Amino acid sequence: MKLLFIRHADPDYVHDSLTEEGFAEAKALGKYLSKQKIDYVYCSPLGRAKDTMQAYLNEVNEKAPPHEIKEWLHEFKVLVPHGANRVAWDFLPEALEEVDSKIYSRDEWLEKDNPWANEPKMKAYVEETIKEFDALLEKHGYKREGSHYVCSKSNVDVIAFFCHFGIEAFLLSHLMNCSPVSLWQHTIATPSSVTTVYTEERREGHVLFRVAAFGETAHLALANMEPAFSGRFSETIEDPRRHD
């Protein structure tokens, strides 16, 4: 089985939709994905993700696979009370130095005295999101057991998730058995990018998920477009686009 994690195209956050550039990105993405096998589609309830998904559905028309809105694919919801409330994937480097290195541990990132643990809603939200995600994977044949998955019958279905960077990084960290902080703080999936994950069954019935490609933007290259800047910070201080 393959999972495609697709970040929404360039966002218009004010109107929870896409910018003009974003709609062009989504159209290029839709054309690209229409030539690929996709068996199931799940989407965030937010407008920018739904608009991106719709561009794909417009391309496949009556051949569209089953598609559903899933509330838990909403952008990662809980703010982190560290200094000022911040989204979980946006910390200054010096702020990370101020907290315990346990934030990079799969089993300890939510422990007491770390900023991610100081929000009382965080643990319950994390547990419920993982529960929903694993329930969906089990529906498609793969059940979580410890740090891997087991399947009663292997399949080659392709599932596409239209969502957001924060939740994408969090779900990937669950599949990869690592702290989400590592992915939140040290990677970026640019708007409309596609991350591909596939099952690896080296012994019958026992499965790991492996990331084959992260944040691909081949559809933009084919359309002679550059990835949008949203979600990134300036490469150097001389670049005025975004520092903090």
Side-chain angles (χ1 to χ4, degrees):
M1 183 168 72
K2 288 183 181 177
L3 309 179
L4 306 179
F5 291 93
I6 302 163
R7 187 185 171 193
H8 57 76
D10 191 46
D12 176 349
Y13 288 119
V14 173
H15 300 99
D16 189 24
S17 182
L18 304 177
T19 63
E20 183 177 349
E21 179 182 3
F23 279 108
E25 286 180 349
K27 185 174 179 62
L29 174 66
K31 288 183 177 179
Y32 181 76
L33 292 178
S34 70
K35 297 177 174 61
Q36 299 186 30
K37 177 183 184 291
I38 295 179
D39 300 290
Y40 302 93
V41 171
Y42 299 100
C43 184
S44 158
L46 296 182
R48 52 193 184 269
K50 292 194 289 186
D51 287 341
T52 306
M53 175 184 70
Q54 190 60 51
Y56 161 69
L57 296 178
N58 290 345
E59 290 292 332
V60 292
N61 293 315
E62 70 278 357
K63 295 180 180 179
H67 46 282
E68 281 183 58
I69 302 298
K70 293 292 186 183
E71 176 62 31
W72 52 269
L73 279 172
H74 188 290
E75 180 58 288
F76 196 89
K77 288 183 177 181
V78 183
L79 296 177
V80 180
H82 186 71
N85 284 352
R86 303 185 76 101
V87 293
W89 54 93
D90 180 11
F91 274 62
L92 292 169
E94 56 267 35
L96 290 174
E97 292 296 324
E98 296 170 3
V99 299
D100 198 304
S101 61
K102 288 178 180 178
I103 60 172
Y104 290 107
S105 165
R106 179 191 73 166
D107 299 317
E108 299 175 306
W109 71 280
L110 274 179
E111 283 197 357
K112 184 180 178 182
D113 298 330
N114 281 322
W116 284 264
N118 290 336
E119 165 51 58
K121 298 178 182 177
M122 181 68 80
K123 187 172 183 179
Y125 171 68
V126 163
E127 290 176 349
E128 181 62 23
T129 303
I130 288 173
K131 178 182 175 182
E132 294 285 354
F133 181 51
D134 276 341
L136 184 143
L137 294 180
E138 186 171 355
K139 172 185 170 183
H140 288 280
Y142 295 84
K143 181 179 179 180
R144 182 89 176 192
E145 285 195 1
S147 297
H148 71 288
Y149 291 78
V150 295
C151 62
S152 56
K153 184 178 180 181
S154 306
N155 68 73
V156 292
D157 291 344
V158 180
I159 301 174
F161 298 96
F162 287 84
C163 54
H164 314 264
F165 172 67
I167 192 65
E168 173 184 337
F170 174 70
L171 296 176
L172 285 173
S173 76
H174 180 57
L175 295 176
M176 296 166 65
N177 296 304
C178 67
S179 164
V181 178
S182 300
L183 296 174
W184 279 334
Q185 303 303 138
H186 300 288
T187 69
I188 182 63
T190 55
S192 80
S193 64
V194 180
T195 293
T196 303
V197 184
Y198 68 92
T199 53
E200 187 174 79
E201 189 175 3
R202 297 170 62 184
R203 295 290 186 275
E204 185 176 358
H206 293 263
V207 167
L208 283 177
F209 283 90
R210 189 178 291 272
V211 178
F214 181 87
E216 280 193 314
T217 54
H219 58 286
L220 297 181
L222 291 171
N224 294 314
M225 299 174 64
E226 291 290 328
F229 191 75
S230 177
R232 289 183 285 170
F233 292 89
S234 299
E235 186 174 350
T236 65
I237 200 68
E238 289 79 16
D239 181 344
R241 284 179 293 181
R242 188 184 183 203
H243 298 132
D244 185 20

